């Protein structure tokens, strides 16, 4: 019996091939567009947080208790290098860097701007977050007063690779001191704070310039996959502030949340389109065949069997659309994951927001499972109205009609 | 086997356009009969046939199929009565377009839960009797009108109903095919002992049945 109904549903679903194909294509196209948009958004968000991780906070950062509120030299971690050495022994820690950062004024002969000088160790940073990846122009070189500068800051100061620059700040004694630097490279980190104000120089040079102990740092940043490490470190260093990525970058949490809302909105809209599409094709198809259903009812087929047939029919159309859509969608996402979407025409605007000029998509299994459930549900819901038409019909009226 | 007592049926009851479609019909149809409702267009042949077939309700009176009072049944019970006790042949287009001839003939048996092997054997039997056994794998729309109507008869007869109700089965057929259909239906009636009741104004049908029940303006005028 079920086999017969299955066959009726299958044959009828593809009886009017062009109509059914149209709906299948409609579902497939809207679904693959949905997948592409979701993939790109997730890719964008992932890319952004990945760069923030690598250029600054890592998964966990350790600061002096008061540093994040009051970024002065006095609020440093005293035994930073010792802690770093200890962390490097921890199997859960993939990489550690220490940084010393101090605010000041950067100036050329004509322009000046607020800046934030950061002393780093290039080798450590490379291991920590592939620092060389951020270099857009010039070379990674700290020799002979060399410095690297954030892209936006370079624009503000109108400096290029090779330009000279003076950075002034208070040293540990409170005296204003200046250091002459030469720009060796310009960076793009996707981290707005760094791009608009950071000047990186060699850690050793900064220590000397500020007259501080080389064991201290304002930040210890850690790369790890462990979810328990933060709690452990909090216990180990109760006098320090141990923060995770989202605590340091609350914007990313907001961005993630708004992505979820935005994605769900697109999702709902697309599913509504699918729903309307299947509803339309099922409705027309049932009106076309109303006499056939009248005869089936007339010769004694139960309403529940006809209902099952209609539901299966809608599911076939929906699932075919899903299969084709999943195929298109996957190919599209695969392309966007590997080749990317080139937005270099809008490069400036994108980069100042911290996005890449080429967007790469993410592919997640959840895209496919979620759309599956949604299309399945939309197909089921779409038969309600057409089924009412059959339920209300009287066999003799439709059998009599246009004989 | 079928007993019709004081049956009345109205359309648009109480309105000015009220039609008194069946007037005090009293009638008995015995097992194995081969009869016809005849009369001018609009006299109530189809209405009476539909009432017997539990396709339509009546306004007063009772219709019995054996011991069962059809007129008192609800929709579900009538559906299952149609499936289990009756066979229908309509004027035209009453096959399932997406199923082949074999599946169409076996359709009612399948709904009634016969096993696949029983269905296969029975379909073969009635199909060869009705001379459509060479077309078993064809789809209905590739058959001639006469062949399609014989498939419909085969479907009605396959599950061995108590009675077959045929409303204008020859209306869309030429005389040669009509005659063939009537011949075959009469042999089936004799061979399988199934009652068959027609509603028709086709002379050819009149000539071939054993009992003619004449209706006029919804009333029985001649038997
Ligand atoms: N569904 C309906 N609604 C309203 N009136 C109807 C309906 N069905 C039949 N009638 C009326 O009932 C009367 C009997 O109709 P019926 O269809 O039984 O006639 P018939 O004898 O089968 O005619 P024909 O030979 O043309 O098929 C007619 O006057 C018809 O107009
Ligand atoms: Mg009629």
């Amino acid at each position: 019996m079920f086999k017969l109904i299955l066959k009726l549903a299958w044959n009828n679903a593809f009886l009017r091939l062009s109509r059914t194909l149209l709906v299948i294509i409609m579902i497939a196209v809207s679904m693959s567009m949905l997948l592409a948009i979701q993939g790109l958004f997730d890719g964008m968000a992932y890319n952004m947080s990945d760069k923030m991780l690598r250029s600054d906070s890592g998964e966990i950062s350790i600061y002096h208790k008061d540093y994040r509120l009051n970024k002065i030299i006095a609020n440093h971690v005293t035994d930073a290098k010792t802690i770093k050495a200890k962390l490097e022994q921890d199997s859960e820690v993939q990489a550690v860097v220490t940084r010393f950062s101090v605010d000041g004024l950067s100036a050329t002969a004509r322009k000046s701007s607020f800046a934030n000088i950061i002393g780093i160790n290039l080798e450590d940073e490379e291991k920590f977050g592939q620092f060389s990846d951020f270099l857009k122009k010039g070379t990674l070189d700290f020799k002979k007063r060399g410095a690297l500068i954030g892209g936006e800051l370079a624009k503000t100061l109108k400096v290029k690779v090779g330009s000279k620059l003076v950075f002034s700040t208070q040293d540990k004694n409170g005296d204003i001191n200046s250091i002459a630097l030469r720009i060796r490279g310009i960076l793009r980190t996707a981290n707005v704070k760094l791009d608009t104000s950071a000047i990186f120089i060699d850690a050793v040079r900064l220590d000397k310039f500020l007259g501080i102990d080389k064991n201290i740092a304002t930040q210890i940043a850690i790369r790890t996959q462990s979810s328990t490490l933060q709690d452990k470190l909090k216990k180990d260093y109760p006098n320090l502030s141990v923060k995770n990525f989202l605590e340091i970058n609350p914007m990313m949490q907001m961005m993630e949340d708004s992505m979820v809302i935005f994605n769900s909105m697109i999702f709902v809209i697309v599913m509504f389109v699918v729903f309307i599409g299947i509803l339309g094709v099922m409705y027309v198809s049932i009106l076309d065949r109303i006499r056939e259903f009248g005869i089936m009812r007339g010769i004694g087929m139960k309403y529940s069997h006809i209902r099952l047939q209609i539901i299966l029919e809608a599911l076939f159309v929906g699932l075919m659309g899903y299969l084709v859509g999943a195929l298109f969608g996957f190919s599209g996402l695969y392309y966007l994951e590997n080749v990317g979407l080139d937005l270099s025409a809008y490069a400036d605007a994108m980069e100042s927001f911290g996005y890449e000029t080429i967007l790469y998509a993410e592919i997640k299994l959840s895209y496919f499972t979620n759309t599956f459930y949604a299309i399945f549900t939309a197909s089921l819901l779409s038969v309600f109205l057409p089924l009412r038409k059959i339920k209300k019909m009287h066999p003799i009226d439709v059998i009599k009609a246009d004989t | 086997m079928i007993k019709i007592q004081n049956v009345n049926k109205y359309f648009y009851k109480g309105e000015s356009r009220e039609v008194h479609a069946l007037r005090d019909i009293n009638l008995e149809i015995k097992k194995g009969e081969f009869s016809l409702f005849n009369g001018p267009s609009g006299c109530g042949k189809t209405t009476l046939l539909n009432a017997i077939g539990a396709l339509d309700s009546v306004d007063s009176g009772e219709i019995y199929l054996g011991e069962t009072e059809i007129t008192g049944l609800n929709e579900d019970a009538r559906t299952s009565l149609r499936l289990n006790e009756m066979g229908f042949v309509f004027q035209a287009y009453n096959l399932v377009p997406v199923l082949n001839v074999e599946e169409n003939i076996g359709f009612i048996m399948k709904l009634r839960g016969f096993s696949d092997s029983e269905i296969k054997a029975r379909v073969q039997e009635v199909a060869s009797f009705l001379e459509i056994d060479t077309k078993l794998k064809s789809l209905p729309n590739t058959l001639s009108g006469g062949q399609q109507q014989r498939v419909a008869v085969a479907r009605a007869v396959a599950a061995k109903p108590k009675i077959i109700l045929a409303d204008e089965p020859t209306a869309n057929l030429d005389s040669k095919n009509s005659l063939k259909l009537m011949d075959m239906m009469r042999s089936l009636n004799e061979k399988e002992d199934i009652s068959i009741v027609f509603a028709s104004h086709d002379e050819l049908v009149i000539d071939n049945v054993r009992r003619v029940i004449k209706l006029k303006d919804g009333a029985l005028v001649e038997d």
Side-chain angles (χ1 to χ4, degrees):
Chain A
M1 188 65 221
F2 183 72
K3 245 174 67 192
L4 177 73
I5 292 175
L6 204 67
K7 177 162 188 183
L8 281 170
W10 178 263
N11 288 356
N12 275 308
F14 298 99
L15 185 62
R16 287 171 183 80
L17 199 61
S18 51
R19 203 152 76 191
T20 308
L21 280 182
L22 204 72
V23 177
I24 287 177
I25 288 169
M26 194 186 91
I27 296 172
V29 168
S30 41
M31 179 178 154
S32 34
M33 265 162 51
L34 169 79
L35 293 188
I37 291 173
Q38 283 194 327
L40 281 176
F41 275 153
D42 283 350
M44 221 151 83
Y46 171 79
N47 183 272
M48 217 170 142
S49 59
D50 176 63
K51 285 190 166 174
M52 305 268 268
L53 271 174
R54 284 163 42 211
S55 64
D56 184 9
S57 61
E59 277 83 6
I60 296 171
S61 272
I62 302 177
Y63 306 93
H64 182 279
K65 270 251 181 299
D66 300 324
Y67 177 75
R68 274 158 49 78
L69 285 178
N70 190 7
K71 292 180 178 161
I72 54 169
I73 300 185
N75 289 340
H76 59 251
V77 182
T78 32
D79 47 356
K81 294 283 158 62
T82 323
I83 294 175
K84 176 178 184 256
K86 227 164 109 190
L87 285 172
E88 276 165 347
Q89 302 305 311
D90 192 321
S91 62
E92 288 185 325
V93 174
Q94 293 165 335
V96 194
V97 291
T98 58
R99 300 192 188 107
F100 203 98
S101 156
V102 61
D103 291 343
L105 190 76
S106 56
T108 64
R110 263 174 290 157
K111 296 247 165 200
S112 66
S113 169
F114 163 83
N116 173 239
I117 201 159
I118 305 168
I120 58 170
N121 178 310
L122 273 180
E123 235 171 84
D124 284 357
E125 292 290 346
E126 189 63 27
K127 233 169 65 189
F128 181 84
Q130 283 178 283
F131 196 75
S132 54
D133 199 35
F134 300 130
L135 184 72
K136 284 292 160 309
K137 276 187 202 126
T139 49
L140 286 186
D141 183 8
F142 285 157
K143 271 179 245 123
K144 294 189 188 160
R145 304 173 168 270
L148 305 168
I149 185 169
E152 291 300 308
L153 180 59
K155 258 191 212 162
T156 316
L157 293 174
K158 299 216 160 103
V159 292
K160 291 187 287 229
V161 174
S163 299
K164 277 192 267 182
L165 180 79
V166 175
F167 180 83
S168 318
T169 189
Q170 286 184 312
D171 65 13
K172 75 168 185 192
N173 302 319
D175 301 329
I176 300 286
N177 245 323
S178 293
I179 185 170
L181 302 168
R182 190 175 286 275
I183 308 295
R184 300 279 185 220
I186 293 175
L187 306 172
R188 284 277 179 196
T189 61
N191 184 333
V192 181
K193 196 182 81 197
L194 292 181
D195 283 356
T196 54
S197 64
I199 299 172
F200 292 94
I201 65 167
D202 188 38
V204 179
R205 245 163 67 87
L206 185 65
D207 293 348
K208 267 191 211 147
F209 167 57
L210 295 174
I212 50 172
D213 187 307
K214 68 179 184 355
N215 196 23
I216 71 172
T218 51
Q219 175 190 19
I220 306 166
I222 301 163
R223 298 301 307 270
T224 179
Q225 298 300 324
S226 160
S227 52
T228 53
L229 185 65
Q230 188 190 6
D231 288 338
K232 200 176 92 186
L233 292 176
K234 272 183 178 167
K235 265 187 218 122
D236 289 355
Y237 305 104
N239 295 319
L240 298 175
S241 147
V242 180
K243 298 284 179 196
N244 67 30
F245 177 72
L246 287 178
E247 288 167 341
I248 301 163
N249 304 293
M251 278 293 290
M252 288 310 298
Q253 181 70 60
M254 249 174 66
M255 184 166 154
E256 253 170 53
D257 292 348
S258 52
M259 283 287 173
V260 169
I261 295 172
F262 192 63
N263 276 349
S264 336
M265 267 163 50
I266 298 177
F267 192 78
V268 167
I269 292 170
V270 170
M271 284 315 136
F272 189 71
V273 170
V274 170
F275 169 75
I276 293 294
I278 304 180
L279 174 71
V281 78
M282 287 308 293
Y283 201 79
V284 172
S285 159
I286 279 168
L287 283 187
D288 268 2
R289 290 185 285 146
I290 196 77
R291 221 181 102 80
E292 186 182 326
F293 290 118
I295 291 193
M296 284 177 164
R297 296 280 282 140
I299 63 178
M301 190 166 184
K302 277 194 238 151
Y303 172 71
S304 60
H305 286 155
I306 292 178
R307 184 177 56 201
L308 180 62
Q309 181 194 328
I310 303 292
I311 290 174
L312 288 173
E313 234 177 282
L315 283 182
F316 284 145
V317 176
L319 294 184
M320 284 301 287
Y322 172 80
L323 284 182
V324 179
L327 209 76
F328 281 7
F330 184 79
S331 330
L333 282 175
Y334 190 80
Y335 176 86
L336 290 174
E337 187 188 41
N338 292 288
V339 182
L341 183 63
D342 193 348
L343 292 177
S344 38
Y346 319 97
D348 272 8
M350 298 289 293
E351 281 192 341
S352 52
F353 279 116
Y355 295 124
E356 284 268 322
T357 47
I358 297 182
L359 296 181
Y360 295 96
E362 287 267 283
I363 302 184
K364 291 186 192 159
L365 182 66
S366 67
Y367 299 166
F368 297 93
T369 50
N370 287 344
T371 40
F372 177 84
Y373 294 134
I375 288 181
F376 192 87
T377 315
S379 311
L380 284 184
L381 290 178
S382 70
V383 299
F384 270 108
L385 208 65
L387 272 178
R388 272 193 25 188
K389 199 94 206 157
I390 295 187
K391 182 135 202 185
K392 278 197 307 202
M393 135 204 109
H394 216 291
I396 49 170
D397 293 335
V398 295
I399 291 169
K400 197 177 61 180
D402 57 60
T403 38
Chain B
M1 183 177 65
I2 287 179
K3 210 180 256 160
I4 301 167
Q5 287 176 347
N6 304 318
V7 161
N8 280 281
K9 164 93 184 166
Y10 300 85
F11 290 104
Y12 312 115
K13 188 160 187 180
E15 296 177 36
S16 58
R17 51 178 177 166
E18 179 180 289
V19 179
H20 197 169
L22 297 176
R23 294 172 195 263
D24 290 318
I25 305 280
N26 281 287
L27 186 68
E28 192 165 344
I29 294 168
K30 297 209 173 56
K31 192 166 170 11
E33 258 190 37
F34 196 65
S35 5
L36 163 73
F37 296 149
N38 181 246
S41 182
C43 67
K45 305 182 288 292
T46 298
T47 308
L48 183 54
L49 207 66
N50 286 344
I52 296 171
L55 279 166
D56 206 355
S57 59
V58 296
D59 293 296
S60 67
E62 297 96 42
I63 300 175
Y64 294 90
L65 174 68
E67 297 300 305
T68 320
E69 190 197 332
I70 296 173
T71 35
L73 298 175
N74 66 18
E75 187 53 44
D76 282 348
R78 287 203 263 151
T79 304
S80 105
L81 186 86
R82 291 199 296 270
L83 178 65
N84 292 306
E85 316 281 4
M86 303 185 182
F88 292 89
V89 181
F90 303 104
Q91 184 172 326
Y93 183 78
N94 63 64
L95 302 176
V96 183
V98 297
L99 297 181
N100 67 26
V101 167
E102 183 173 18
E103 292 159 333
N104 261 290
I105 298 176
F107 193 76
I108 292 175
M109 294 185 77
K110 195 95 191 176
L111 293 183
R112 282 174 58 175
F114 285 85
S115 76
D116 282 351
S117 56
E118 274 177 294
I119 295 174
K120 204 174 163 62
R122 177 69 175 156
V123 166
Q124 188 60 49
E125 182 189 2
V126 293
S128 62
F129 185 81
L130 288 160
E131 295 171 21
I132 39 176
D133 49 335
T134 56
K135 299 281 182 188
L136 286 181
K137 299 292 172 204
S138 312
L139 286 177
N141 61 8
T142 65
L143 303 185
S144 74
Q147 288 167 333
Q148 286 189 43
Q149 206 56 314
R150 276 181 273 145
V151 175
V153 171
R155 177 181 67 189
V157 104
K160 301 198 173 161
K162 291 206 175 88
I163 183 165
I164 290 178
L165 304 168
D167 193 2
E168 313 277 9
T170 59
N172 289 1
L173 304 182
D174 58 27
S175 57
K176 199 179 117 226
N177 271 304
S178 299
L179 201 61
K180 188 164 185 175
L181 186 78
M182 288 309 293
D183 276 349
M184 288 177 168
M185 286 184 81
R186 190 164 47 195
S187 325
L188 273 173
N189 162 257
E190 283 159 9
K191 187 167 86 86
E192 310 238 344
D193 201 27
I194 297 174
S195 316
I196 301 181
V197 182
F198 294 90
S200 178
H201 49 239
D202 189 345
E203 294 294 328
L204 217 138
V205 179
I206 301 174
D207 295 344
N208 280 280
V209 293
R210 272 188 241 104
R211 177 182 178 195
V212 177
I213 300 157
K214 272 202 161 24
L215 294 172
K216 196 174 178 244
D217 291 337
L220 217 71
V221 291
E222 199 184 313
D223 198 341

